[in-house]
Amino acid sequence: MVAGMLEGGGVSCPVLFRPEAGAGDGAGALIAAARSRTVPPAVALDEIALWHDRLVAAGCARIAYKACASFDSTAQGNIGPAADLLAERAGRRPVLMSAGFPRFGATVHQGYLFYRQRLVSDSIKRLDPLTPMEDPDLVRHLGRQTPHRVGLVGHLVLRRGVVAAEEALSALAAEGVGHVLLDASDDGDVAVSADLAAGRDLPVVASDPLIVELALRLCPKGTAEAPAAPPHGPVAVLAGSTGPVVMAQLAALAHPVLTLDLLAEGDPAALVARALDWAAGQGGSFAISTATDAAGLALSQGALGAAGAARRAEEVLGQVARGLHGRGLRRFAVAGGETSGAVVAAIGLGSARALPEGPLGLGECLGQAGGGPVWLFLKPGKLGGEDALLRAICHGEGRAR
């Protein structure tokens, strides 16, 4: 999504899925698509450090860590440790932090996180299977993840402009604050925060809007080589997210849907084989899903643990994607951020070019895997209307809906 917004703003922005992947010529920004959100902090920090060094070696003058718009994490989460790592590498504090994505209904006001006009603790985000957001006070929430004090520059300051924000930031820095959260009540807050960040060479840990606005201010514009032409053929929808949003999107499909029960087979390989056999009998686009309702989620988590259930779903759908790709399928629509990472890794995609915002919104990209082009639509599980996956199939097949 970030790369698509930058490409639409005139900044060439390849997405790298593996540290050894080539960035190509003419890039104004690079995105490292790491999978550090839900792994143990020590593992996450190793991966972030590896990518940090790779990006510095590639010539990136500023490094920012992108978190989910709702800063999904627990008290043992990785956002605070990631911010501390960036501060240590840069040798500078405070770290500028910003959550929210006003365009999609995620906002931060006076340090409190709202999702779709409700406190995040009263929203569907409180039910996330791995990172339930139970505390809307982000200053307090982030303070549990780092030994450094977290301060706040709120909306009432940001609405007065960048000079007032500079003064507030300087005062907090003089107090020894290690991290400063910036409100994102609306796009105006984000714009002032981006001006503030552009004028200060400080580490940044933020969600999509601030990352994009900062990059648009700092990165050179220009065009790189055009992405590969999209391949032809049916679309495979792979849905590993869970909850009411993705369940409604699957129900709206006018295509065959296979729902896999993670507990039905003792060996995940048997689930993969069953899915591939089923897919071989389909004459067009289809969906394979591990999505379930709250009762089904409770059963799988009770048997496998929250992390175990999530990892099994990712493993199964990743291997299904590999099998489908090996049989010649080249178009994938994936629901769920962690599932997207598993699919990309399984099919061996090293890098991709995101497409500017189009009929599907953001999340469309093209890459090369196995010697040929691959089209992907990667979307967060909890975003999009009920027809989001249906539109992805229609668009992927090259027909209007």
Side-chain angles (χ1 to χ4, degrees):
M1 293 176 70
V2 168
M5 286 185 278
L6 291 179
E7 294 274 2
V11 176
S12 174
C13 184
V15 181
L16 309 182
F17 298 110
R18 297 199 303 264
E20 68 274 16
D25 297 326
L30 295 177
I31 288 184
R35 298 182 63 196
S36 58
R37 185 175 78 90
T38 59
V39 299
V43 177
L45 291 180
D46 285 344
E47 183 176 19
I48 295 167
L50 175 65
W51 275 113
H52 178 282
D53 295 345
R54 166 70 176 90
L55 295 173
V56 169
C60 294
R62 294 281 295 268
I63 308 291
Y65 180 80
K66 193 201 87 71
C68 176
S70 52
F71 266 37
D72 287 17
S73 55
T74 65
Q76 295 76 41
N78 298 330
I79 297 176
D84 289 333
L85 185 148
L86 262 60
E88 291 164 7
R89 292 294 175 101
R92 292 182 294 279
R93 286 187 184 274
V95 177
L96 300 179
M97 309 181 83
S98 175
F101 204 152
R103 171 181 170 183
F104 292 110
T107 58
V108 182
H109 185 71
Q110 300 299 87
Y112 282 80
L113 176 63
F114 293 80
Y115 183 73
R116 295 184 178 179
Q117 301 182 335
R118 301 183 66 84
L119 285 170
V120 70
S121 51
D122 294 329
S123 77
I124 60 173
K125 288 289 186 179
R126 77 187 189 281
L127 304 175
D128 189 284
L130 290 180
T131 53
M133 292 296 290
E134 298 171 342
D135 188 350
D137 185 337
L138 285 186
V139 171
R140 182 171 57 207
H141 182 66
L142 293 169
R144 301 186 182 107
Q145 299 179 9
T146 172
H148 300 275
R149 181 181 160 198
V150 181
L152 173 69
V153 176
H155 172 71
L156 296 180
V157 173
L158 293 171
R159 69 190 296 269
R160 289 161 47 201
V162 69
V163 174
E166 285 268 10
E167 293 172 351
L169 178 62
S170 296
L172 289 170
E175 296 174 13
V177 168
H179 307 289
V180 174
L181 178 71
L182 305 165
D183 262 359
S185 301
D186 52 32
D187 290 337
D189 281 356
V190 176
V192 173
S193 296
D195 289 338
L196 178 67
R200 295 254 188 153
D201 188 13
L202 293 171
V204 170
V205 173
S207 53
D208 309 55
L210 181 58
I211 299 286
V212 170
E213 289 299 322
L214 178 60
L216 289 176
R217 284 160 172 75
L218 297 179
C219 295
K221 305 294 195 299
T223 57
E225 59 188 35
H232 299 287
V235 176
V237 172
L238 300 173
S241 183
T242 190
V245 174
V246 74
M247 296 289 284
Q249 291 169 348
L250 288 167
L253 290 180
H255 301 78
V257 179
L258 174 66
T259 300
L260 299 174
D261 181 351
L262 296 178
L263 302 179
E265 306 280 354
D267 180 7
L271 277 176
V272 174
R274 183 157 69 85
L276 292 176
D277 288 344
W278 177 85
Q282 307 308 313
S285 298
F286 56 85
I288 298 175
S289 168
T290 59
T292 183
D293 57 19
L297 180 62
L299 286 174
S300 62
Q301 290 186 339
L304 303 171
R311 297 291 92 84
R312 178 170 291 191
E314 293 162 24
E315 177 188 358
V316 167
L317 291 177
Q319 293 307 309
V320 168
R322 176 180 291 176
L324 294 172
H325 183 260
R327 297 180 183 187
L329 196 140
R330 296 294 183 266
R331 292 174 174 266
F332 298 90
V334 188
E338 299 299 319
T339 308
S340 295
V343 167
V344 164
I347 65 176
L349 200 64
S351 63
R353 283 287 299 280
L355 302 183
E357 186 168 4
L360 297 181
L362 295 159
E364 215 181 333
C365 60
L366 294 169
Q368 294 278 330
V374 178
W375 175 89
L376 299 111
F377 173 62
L378 309 176
K379 81 168 205 70
K382 296 179 178 65
L383 285 187
E386 289 189 2
D387 65 343
L389 294 177
L390 177 59
R391 289 191 297 109
I393 287 178
C394 294
H395 180 73
E397 292 177 338
R399 57 189 175 90
R401 176 175 176 266

